[in-house]
Amino acid sequence: MILDGKACSERRLELLREEIDESGLHPHLATVIAGSDTGSQMYVRMKHRVCEQVHIGSVGIELPADVTLDRVLGSIRQLNEDADIDGILVQLPLPAHIHADQVIRSVRTDKDVDGFHPYNLGLLLSGSPKFAPCTPKGIMTLLAENRIGVAGKHAVVVGRSIDVGRPMAALLTNADATVTVCHSKTRNLPDETRRADILVSSVGKAHVITADMVKKGAVVIDVGINQLKGKLVGDVDFAAVQDIASAITPVPGGVGPMTIATLMENTFLAAKLRTCDTVW
Ligand code: NAP
């Protein structure tokens, strides 16, 4: 089975637009980007386009590559205080001289729709997430929508980044999977991945997951986005692994669209939470 993230995200976005229209709320997302990285600019443009599609208002703050940390923090402060803004997304990576951690920590936790603030990561670890990071949360949605159960399964996550690997492990643990996290210092990676009922790879290296590393019938989720001979590919050798896996995400068209749909869902969640008496 090919896990079609594009089709799934389109269904979710359609439902979300209806829900937003019925709610009477007018959610707003603000994006902050620094520098002129073409990949980052493309992602931000895409996010604004999808906002429009689901009737979420959006504003974009564009800062130059040589921006000071003070100016970035000043922009976030303004957005934190702006009553019209429900969600704030800081497009990563930031220029090397800007401490990303400091910027992430400056976002109000109830507007942190990326879920990277340590407070929101803490809630996730405690088992009661509010804003879980969009990529792993989108993967959980994709599994659920395809009726792939997680409880009791052995999940192996390759990669331990804050945006994908660690929160993925937490979400899978919260859903009662038994989880192994692997990284660049893992001894004998194939031994670990071959034990996976659900294998998630977020490494960023083309074909780091080969057919001999996958158990027959495993569910394979490929987060990686890599260029190989001018083509966009994931971490997984798709052509070889698709015959072994019971289900697999393609690249492109798998995890990526689910990430954006989840960002929209998190923004609407932020707008809903701001209208009720939730204690943060
Ligand atoms: P990251 O912060 O660079 O983390 C990569 C992880 O892979 C690290 O934990 C690293 O280990 C581990 N690693 C590196 N080489 C390895 C190896 N040979 N064997 C096992 N583990 C290895 O990356 P990320 O933010 O998670 O992103 C990973 C990829 O996913 C990138 O291609 C990125 O573009 C893509 N991505 C896609 C989406 C989407 O929506 N589709 C979202 C986010 C990211 P150490 O910790 O030991 O260094």
Side-chain angles (χ1 to χ4, degrees):
M1 173 172 41
I2 304 294
L3 298 172
D4 186 343
K6 193 162 187 302
C8 181
S9 75
E10 266 156 24
R11 279 195 306 275
R12 304 273 309 180
L13 289 171
E14 181 90 33
L15 285 174
L16 181 66
R17 197 194 54 218
E18 285 170 20
E19 240 189 287
I20 290 175
D21 289 349
E22 281 165 17
S23 72
L25 296 174
H26 301 285
H28 275 79
L29 174 71
T31 61
V32 179
I33 183 169
S36 53
D37 178 78
T38 45
S40 295
Q41 286 179 335
M42 186 192 75
Y43 284 130
V44 167
R45 270 199 307 275
M46 208 187 297
K47 286 163 188 172
H48 285 274
R49 254 202 322 272
V50 180
C51 276
E52 210 175 309
Q53 185 187 338
V54 297
H55 302 169
I56 289 179
S58 67
V59 291
I61 311 289
E62 289 179 27
L63 301 166
D66 61 355
V67 66
T68 61
L69 176 62
D70 272 357
R71 172 124 184 256
V72 179
L73 295 177
S75 298
I76 305 270
R77 205 174 308 118
Q78 272 182 4
L79 296 169
N80 281 342
E81 288 164 7
D82 187 336
D84 287 337
I85 298 296
D86 298 290
I88 301 170
L89 174 136
V90 180
Q91 185 65 39
L92 300 176
L94 289 165
H97 66 283
I98 303 286
H99 294 286
D101 277 358
Q102 220 173 324
V103 175
I104 288 166
R105 281 161 207 234
S106 73
V107 174
R108 254 176 71 156
T109 56
D110 57 351
K111 297 190 178 191
D112 173 37
V113 287
D114 249 343
F116 296 160
H117 192 290
Y119 177 83
N120 281 315
L121 289 172
L123 286 182
L124 172 59
L125 267 189
S126 76
S128 327
K130 285 275 179 355
F131 299 113
C134 300
T135 300
K137 188 174 169 186
I139 290 170
M140 296 303 286
T141 305
L142 188 62
L143 292 172
E145 295 262 329
N146 284 280
R147 298 179 195 285
I148 295 172
V150 168
K153 302 268 178 72
H154 186 183
V156 176
V157 179
V158 188
R160 55 176 166 179
S161 63
I162 287 298
D163 57 325
V164 188
R166 288 170 200 249
M168 185 78 252
L171 284 167
L172 288 163
T173 303
N174 293 349
D176 297 329
T178 303
V179 182
T180 301
V181 179
C182 303
H183 45 76
S184 67
K185 308 290 185 294
T186 297
R187 290 191 193 147
N188 207 340
L189 182 65
D191 269 1
E192 302 295 341
T193 58
R194 271 195 292 267
R195 277 195 277 272
D197 302 312
I198 299 173
L199 176 61
V200 181
S201 181
S202 184
V203 171
K205 290 183 183 159
H207 295 182
V208 72
I209 305 292
T210 49
D212 59 316
M213 295 168 75
V214 178
K215 179 167 81 175
K216 183 135 189 71
V219 173
V220 179
I221 307 291
D222 192 350
V223 182
I225 301 175
N226 312 293
Q227 289 285 343
L228 187 68
K229 296 179 190 152
K231 259 187 72 186
L232 201 65
V233 299
D235 288 349
V236 178
D237 181 357
F238 183 89
V241 172
Q242 68 171 335
D243 294 333
I244 300 166
S246 61
I248 184 168
T249 57
V251 176
V255 172
M258 293 306 297
T259 299
I260 297 193
T262 307
L263 173 67
M264 301 299 132
E265 291 173 352
N266 275 357
T267 303
F268 183 43
L269 174 64
K272 284 191 290 188
L273 290 173
R274 282 203 320 131
T275 60
C276 69
D277 295 331
T278 309
V279 177
W280 285 86

